[in-house]
Amino acid sequence: MSDDDLALDARTGLPEHLRVLADLYPRTEWRGHPNFNDLTSFWLERHGMFRQLNDLLVEGTQKRLDGANPRYGREMQHYTSMFLNQLHGHHQIEDHHYFPQFIPLDARLEKGFEILDRDHHALDGHIHALADATNAVLQKIAAGEDDEREARTLLEAQVAFRSFLHRHLEDEEDLVVPVILEYGAVLE
């Protein structure tokens, strides 16, 4: 597989050679494993929160376009800001703290952590695009102008972001949690 095939917007999952531990530890067995701990559970819950917030943003914009969300501007500003700031901080912690702890545990998975790092850089571009699209809508709302065109652009950005984010989170979980289960590694 080439690096282009492993790009966040091109792949459909981790390549087989990086699923060596994921195949040993199916998702359905994670929580019952003795090495699954509270911090790992919290980390997965954060991923769930990111998925839910992204879905909330998409639903909010869809409702706005349907004319059914009078508090849209205030909600969109609040939730988008929280979503993007929390996501950026989460990725910083992973890149600088968690991933460096896991890489030495299993050399077979080093390429997987490189992929996740590249994902984070790719997601940064999407974070900026989503922020820009959100700001364009909020400016129209603040000016009392029709924001339909900007809201449609925002919805496209939100849906695209959701696709990238879900792919990344699933692949990250399939790499990190099995390392924790296999080696008793601890998120600190």
Side-chain angles (χ1 to χ4, degrees):
M1 239 181 194
S2 73
D3 281 350
D4 288 342
D5 295 333
L6 295 175
L8 182 56
D9 59 347
R11 71 176 188 264
T12 57
L14 291 173
E16 286 302 312
H17 71 280
L18 296 176
R19 294 194 51 79
V20 292
L21 294 180
D23 291 342
L24 289 175
Y25 299 102
R27 284 177 178 262
T28 56
E29 298 174 13
W30 287 356
R31 292 195 184 269
H33 193 281
N35 288 337
F36 188 90
N37 58 41
D38 289 342
L39 199 48
T40 304
S41 179
F42 172 75
W43 180 76
L44 287 170
E45 288 168 7
R46 296 288 289 174
H47 281 197
M49 178 196 71
F50 294 132
R51 288 177 177 106
Q52 289 175 336
L53 280 171
N54 200 176
D55 289 344
L56 180 72
L57 295 174
V58 169
E59 291 166 14
T61 301
Q62 287 170 332
K63 287 178 183 176
R64 172 65 171 196
L65 289 167
D66 293 339
N69 193 350
R71 297 183 330 193
Y72 176 73
R74 186 177 25 215
E75 290 175 359
M76 194 57 43
Q77 183 176 16
H78 173 75
Y79 290 124
T80 301
S81 176
M82 181 174 69
F83 174 62
L84 297 181
N85 288 330
Q86 292 289 319
L87 186 61
H88 180 72
H90 181 77
H91 287 161
Q92 292 293 315
I93 292 168
E94 289 173 338
D95 288 342
H96 299 290
H97 187 70
Y98 293 154
F99 294 172
Q101 291 180 53
F102 297 141
I103 291 169
L105 296 176
D106 196 319
R108 298 173 298 175
L109 303 178
E110 185 172 357
K111 178 71 171 179
F113 287 102
E114 290 172 10
I115 291 168
L116 297 178
D117 181 60
R118 279 199 313 266
D119 285 0
H120 289 173
H121 292 289
L123 282 167
D124 279 345
H126 292 286
I127 285 172
H128 292 295
L130 189 56
D132 290 345
T134 301
N135 287 333
V137 170
L138 294 174
Q139 288 171 354
K140 289 287 187 173
I141 291 171
E145 298 174 7
D146 180 24
D147 65 309
E148 183 176 350
R149 185 175 61 114
E150 290 79 7
R152 290 193 185 287
T153 299
L154 175 57
L155 181 60
E156 288 174 14
Q158 291 167 330
V159 169
F161 194 92
R162 179 170 56 187
S163 175
F164 292 128
L165 182 66
H166 284 235
R167 170 80 278 132
H168 167 72
L169 293 176
E170 186 173 314
D171 291 348
E172 188 173 89
E173 292 163 3
D174 282 346
L175 198 64
V176 170
V177 174
V179 167
I180 291 169
L181 301 182
E182 177 73 8
Y183 298 103
V186 178
L187 295 171
E188 298 176 353

